[in-house]
Amino acid sequence: QVQLVESGGGLVQAGGSLRLSCAASGRTFSSRAMGWFRQAPGKEREFVAAISWSGGGTYYADSVKGRFTISRDNAKNTVYLQMNSLKPEDTAVYYCAAGRDSRIYYNHRMYDSWGQGTQVTVSS
């Protein structure tokens, strides 16, 4: 398994930006696809973005496409989520997750390692 620790959340005004980081430990990090998910109060966990093991493929939920960018640095065992043009509806706890293998998945059940989450709050 991979151990994950997120950072970078906080309070920001609508239209602002934040960058989330996810530091990973474990020998298999570089061979796994990675994803970001979020969960707002009273709602189910939803897919935000994912990146292939090499970083060559990225995928986004329609709600964040064009505003968020996922990237990874395998030398640093870190995944990032750059969030621009933030909206109040982006408010949620954001989770980093490691996929069970190198393939991209949209379903959170296909990720077997999770961080503790970081709160993002966007004020209007």
Side-chain angles (χ1 to χ4, degrees):
Q1 285 220 341
V2 178
Q3 288 74 49
L4 304 170
V5 178
E6 301 99 334
S7 61
L11 174 64
V12 64
Q13 288 189 332
S17 299
L18 284 173
R19 189 175 83 153
L20 305 183
S21 298
C22 174
S25 60
R27 292 178 297 171
T28 62
F29 169 79
S30 60
S31 65
R32 294 175 177 235
M34 297 293 294
W36 285 96
F37 291 78
R38 65 187 182 187
Q39 189 166 18
K43 294 188 177 181
E44 293 187 355
R45 190 167 298 192
E46 66 171 347
F47 171 81
V48 175
I51 188 166
S52 64
W53 68 272
S54 66
T58 56
Y59 303 86
Y60 299 92
D62 287 344
S63 58
V64 307
K65 202 172 293 183
R67 300 188 298 122
F68 291 10
T69 302
I70 188 171
S71 61
R72 69 189 296 164
D73 185 338
N74 285 344
K76 296 183 178 179
N77 275 15
T78 303
V79 178
Y80 305 97
L81 185 68
Q82 177 67 44
M83 305 185 295
N84 298 328
S85 302
L86 283 161
K87 305 175 181 179
E89 51 264 43
D90 294 318
T91 295
V93 177
Y94 282 70
Y95 297 91
C96 172
R100 61 176 58 184
D101 51 45
S102 63
R103 289 173 288 182
I104 294 280
Y105 299 104
Y106 299 97
N107 189 327
H108 64 87
R109 295 180 179 86
M110 302 305 286
Y111 291 75
D112 62 4
S113 299
W114 292 84
Q116 82 287 352
T118 186
Q119 177 70 45
V120 171
T121 303
V122 184
S123 63
S124 57

